[in-house]
Amino acid sequence: MHEVWSDSTSGFHPASAPDYLPEPQLRELQLRRLKAVVRRCYDNVPLFRQRMDATNMRPDDVQSLDDLSRLPFTQKCDLRDTYPFGLFASPLSEVVRVHASSGTTGKPIVVAYTKEDLDVWTEVIVRCFAACGMHSGDIVQNAYGYGLFTGGLGAHYGAEALGATVIPVSGGNTDRQIMILRDFGVTAICCTPSYFIHLIERAKETGAGLRDLPLRVGVFGAEPWTEEMRAHIQKEAGIEAFDIFGLTEIIGPGVGIECRAHNGLHIFEDHFLPEIVDPESGTPRRDGEEGELVLTTLSKKAMPMIRYRTHDITRIKTGHCSCGRTIRRIERIARRSDDMLIIRGVNLFPSQIETVLLSIEGTTPHYQIIITRDKGLDQLEVQVEVTHELFSDTIGGLEQLRSRISHQLEIMTGLRMEVSLVAPRTIQRSEGKAKRVKDLRNAT
Ligand code: AMP
Ligand code: ZN
């Protein structure tokens, strides 16, 4: 039976959260849960069982937390290869929700939650919001996208369980967002940091800044951001800005968050066990050393992840946090070890663009993605070379092709992007690894 810690009926007590468990107790809890989750995967997930068998490992071989490093990794491609439900460890009858995120090809990756998994998710989001100093009575504007993306619903139920008033406005429609911020007396907002910078800009344009509003807290994540952005946001909006981290494969938002010390993100390691490994060899690295973050879910039922390779580069911070939490912290995530781009909070792989181009006659696989930032919002341009025959076609023909590419790209990625057709052989050829992405966001 899963140990439910939060009790929304009897009130919320942040100080009794597992965030503050004495370390030996935390490690013991982790080991107990690790043994159970490995057993669960071995018994229910054929791919995991095969991999364990191939290394002659049995669930009972997990006797200490150090044994974690002997377990096989899980990768994004495992979710793609078993699409849609192949990694589920619960029967579909116990799955009460699914979410999805972009994969590297046209198919999304699918994740599942049982009722208990949703309780865990709600619990960690409550702990996140509590770490930001939020409480019942707060009015929370949730501008993360609702739908298959985990951001909207994830934050939503946590805010409700905290006892806050949630405004499920979802993303987009900036002027309406500003109106609601103002009229509803919003005290906390959740969205991507780049979208909030856009809100600041737009509010200024309409002649009314955000500084004089009751808005007090911003919970920003789903994409990398910087200390400079934080300083800008805090100054312009008069709020305290927190970095929240998560990924669909592990649960969604709520894997970790900053506390008010703003010195790294606490990982809720009673549910998500972090490791840092060498991004090339996969060899474990010690606390304090930089590498790729690998996460194991300790309590998930429907779709546990054993040693999931996040491709996020960070380090586990050593030493204790001044807030008193005993759960460890990671440094803010500034980059990835793979080519995944995050555009307005949406994951984009260059290979998705390539797949579309290869499926359309008249285009060539020579393309370049140019990312800039305009008033806080990411802008995408894809330059595509067309064949000689097409390039000498009528303007109307080219325009038709352009809008077809643009439409297909939007279907594939969920992102609107500007498409420019360029003459044959104008995109620079590279001698080594193709440089397809020009990310000018920090230069604009
Ligand atoms: P998704 O599964 O669509 O939520 O995307 C998850 C990925 O978004 C993570 O693996 C990170 O690369 C990125 N991400 C999420 N939150 C943050 C954050 N606070 N800072 C930096 N990157 C983040
Ligand atoms: Zn702290």
Side-chain angles (χ1 to χ4, degrees):
M1 179 62 196
H2 165 65
E3 300 155 18
V4 179
W5 152 80
S6 74
D7 182 352
S8 51
T9 51
S10 69
F12 165 62
H13 306 289
S16 65
D19 303 26
Y20 302 95
L21 275 180
E23 204 181 317
Q25 227 169 303
L26 178 60
R27 301 286 166 248
E28 192 219 298
L29 174 67
Q30 287 174 326
L31 179 59
R32 185 154 38 90
R33 288 183 173 173
L34 178 66
K35 287 178 176 177
V37 78
V38 169
R39 163 62 64 192
R40 184 176 183 84
C41 288
Y42 189 82
D43 289 346
N44 297 287
V45 184
L47 181 83
F48 184 73
R49 189 189 191 107
Q50 281 159 22
R51 288 197 181 152
M52 288 280 280
D53 287 347
T55 57
N56 269 327
M57 244 189 122
R58 295 285 173 272
D60 288 342
D61 294 336
V62 177
Q63 287 302 326
S64 75
L65 287 174
D66 288 340
D67 291 326
L68 181 64
S69 63
R70 297 166 57 208
L71 294 169
F73 288 120
T74 310
Q75 304 263 12
K76 201 185 264 286
C77 61
D78 296 326
L79 280 88
R80 187 189 64 209
D81 296 345
T82 55
Y83 172 87
F85 301 156
L87 293 185
F88 289 12
S90 296
L92 258 184
S93 56
E94 286 170 21
V95 170
V96 296
R97 171 103 62 84
V98 293
H99 279 283
S101 165
S102 333
T104 48
T105 63
K107 300 277 190 199
I109 51 136
V110 182
V111 295
Y113 306 77
T114 62
K115 177 78 186 58
E116 285 172 308
D117 294 336
L118 290 182
D119 288 345
V120 169
W121 198 8
T122 297
E123 175 199 310
V124 289
I125 296 282
V126 168
R127 288 162 68 183
C128 282
F129 288 158
C132 304
M134 288 163 60
H135 42 71
S136 70
D138 265 317
I139 302 178
V140 181
Q141 182 155 335
N142 187 13
Y144 280 120
Y146 280 66
L148 283 178
F149 175 57
T150 52
L153 289 175
H156 180 101
Y157 289 106
E160 277 188 2
L162 183 71
T165 306
V166 191
I167 310 169
V169 59
S170 195
N173 204 338
T174 307
D175 287 345
R176 191 180 60 171
Q177 301 266 4
I178 294 169
M179 181 187 76
I180 291 174
L181 265 178
R182 205 163 271 294
D183 295 351
F184 293 15
V186 170
T187 56
I189 186 164
C190 309
C191 60
T192 59
S194 57
Y195 188 62
F196 192 70
I197 287 174
H198 180 61
L199 273 177
I200 290 175
E201 294 277 348
R202 185 70 195 136
K204 266 193 166 171
E205 272 170 23
T206 56
L210 300 177
R211 280 199 67 93
D212 51 344
L213 301 181
L215 190 62
R216 193 182 82 244
V217 174
V219 184
F220 305 121
E223 64 184 8
W225 53 306
T226 58
E227 275 311 311
E228 290 71 28
M229 281 167 86
R230 192 210 304 275
H232 172 75
I233 287 171
Q234 297 196 149
K235 177 165 157 281
E236 294 292 325
I239 63 172
E240 188 171 352
F242 293 84
D243 192 359
I244 185 168
F245 169 73
L247 58 159
T248 312
E249 294 86 334
I250 296 302
I251 203 155
V255 173
I257 193 157
E258 286 178 342
C259 63
R260 299 194 67 181
H262 299 285
N263 186 9
L265 290 82
H266 288 282
I267 298 288
F268 296 111
E269 55 172 328
D270 48 322
H271 294 302
F272 317 114
L273 189 54
E275 294 171 86
I276 299 292
V277 303
D278 178 316
E280 302 290 323
S281 66
T283 315
R285 288 190 168 161
R286 272 195 288 276
D287 284 7
E289 291 177 357
E290 188 181 82
E292 179 183 342
L293 177 67
V294 171
L295 289 165
T296 296
T297 63
L298 293 177
S299 39
K300 275 223 331 235
K301 299 279 192 261
M303 199 167 147
M305 281 287 134
I306 307 286
R307 303 193 84 205
Y308 184 72
R309 302 282 299 252
T310 67
H311 289 281
D312 289 315
I313 302 294
T314 181
R315 70 180 89 226
I316 291 178
K317 288 179 92 84
T318 52
H320 295 291
C321 184
S322 58
C323 74
R325 284 180 178 76
T326 49
I327 50 175
R328 283 174 295 174
R329 291 162 296 158
I330 58 167
E331 208 152 82
R332 84 176 324 147
I333 287 157
R335 63 193 175 91
R336 294 181 51 90
S337 65
D338 64 1
D339 60 352
M340 187 175 100
L341 299 161
I342 305 181
I343 310 291
R344 290 175 235 134
V346 177
N347 302 346
L348 175 73
F349 292 91
S351 56
Q352 291 174 291
I353 293 184
E354 196 160 315
T355 307
V356 168
L357 296 181
L358 287 170
S359 72
I360 296 180
E361 209 177 318
T363 61
T364 69
H366 300 293
Y367 63 95
Q368 192 159 49
I369 304 168
I370 298 160
I371 315 167
T372 50
R373 189 167 272 158
D374 182 24
K375 294 185 180 150
L377 272 196
D378 297 338
Q379 308 292 336
L380 258 186
E381 182 192 348
V382 183
Q383 298 180 341
V384 184
E385 264 186 36
V386 291
T387 56
H388 275 289
E389 302 79 68
L390 249 146
F391 203 68
S392 43
D393 203 356
T394 60
I395 303 259
L398 282 174
E399 181 49 33
Q400 238 178 28
L401 176 67
R402 206 186 63 77
S403 71
R404 239 180 82 211
I405 298 173
S406 174
H407 181 65
Q408 290 300 327
L409 283 174
E410 192 173 340
I411 292 176
M412 170 72 97
T413 63
L415 283 165
R416 198 163 298 165
M417 52 191 100
E418 163 134 7
V419 174
S420 323
L421 300 182
V422 299
R425 300 209 66 82
T426 42
I427 288 178
Q428 204 186 353
R429 303 294 189 261
S430 80
E431 308 203 324
K433 213 166 143 64
K435 272 226 174 321
R436 303 212 185 280
V437 182
K438 262 197 195 161
D439 194 340
L440 306 174
R441 279 181 287 192
N442 289 327
T444 49

